[in-house]
Amino acid sequence: MLVRDAMSTVVLTIGPTHTLRQAAALMSARRVGAAVVHDPDAGGIGILTERDILNSVGLGQDPDTERAHAHTTTDVVFAAPSWTLEEAARAMTHGGFRHLIVLDDDEPAGIVSVRDIIRCWVPARQQVPA
């Protein structure tokens, strides 16, 4: 199975000046664990994850004043839609992260997460008789 078969095409894109609270609210509303941060002034695309927000709050930083750009990972590993799920899982394991931005023609086409991969690898739960 390929990344294109597992990825979510719902890509939340935010700007670098969004506060962490704004980013968290948008991520929560869309039920996603990561947002693509588009910052043309800083050279392109980064990713802000729920873990980044959690780490900031855990350090006692104010989510109403902290900006996405200060917590964005810019050294991003990108996946291609044609990667196998094994390649994506290997990249995640090697890098220690749970989300990959999927680029198609240098544009974000989706995000694939560990949960997406597991969903493809594990058969859907069967109903247990009552």
Side-chain angles (χ1 to χ4, degrees), residues 22 36 41 48 70 73 76-77 79 87-88 99 102 114:
Q22 290 170 324
V36 172
D41 295 333
L48 179 73
T73 301
V76 179
V77 175
E87 288 173 303
H99 299 86
V102 182
V114 170

Side-chain angles (χ1 to χ4, degrees), residues 81-100:
S82 60
W83 279 18
T84 65
L85 294 185
E86 288 81 6
E87 288 173 303
R90 193 172 13 262
M92 290 177 186
T93 301
H94 179 73
F97 44 80
R98 299 177 293 168
H99 299 86
L100 285 169

Side-chain angles (χ1 to χ4, degrees), residues 3-12 32 102 108-112 116:
V3 165
R4 75 169 47 93
D5 302 319
M7 71 183 191
S8 171
T9 56
V10 175
V11 179
L12 173 61
V32 297
V102 182
I111 292 184
V112 65
D116 296 327

Side-chain angles (χ1 to χ4, degrees), residues 12-28:
L12 173 61
T13 302
I14 63 171
T17 60
H18 276 80
T19 67
L20 293 187
R21 183 174 309 278
Q22 290 170 324
L26 291 167
M27 290 164 64
S28 178

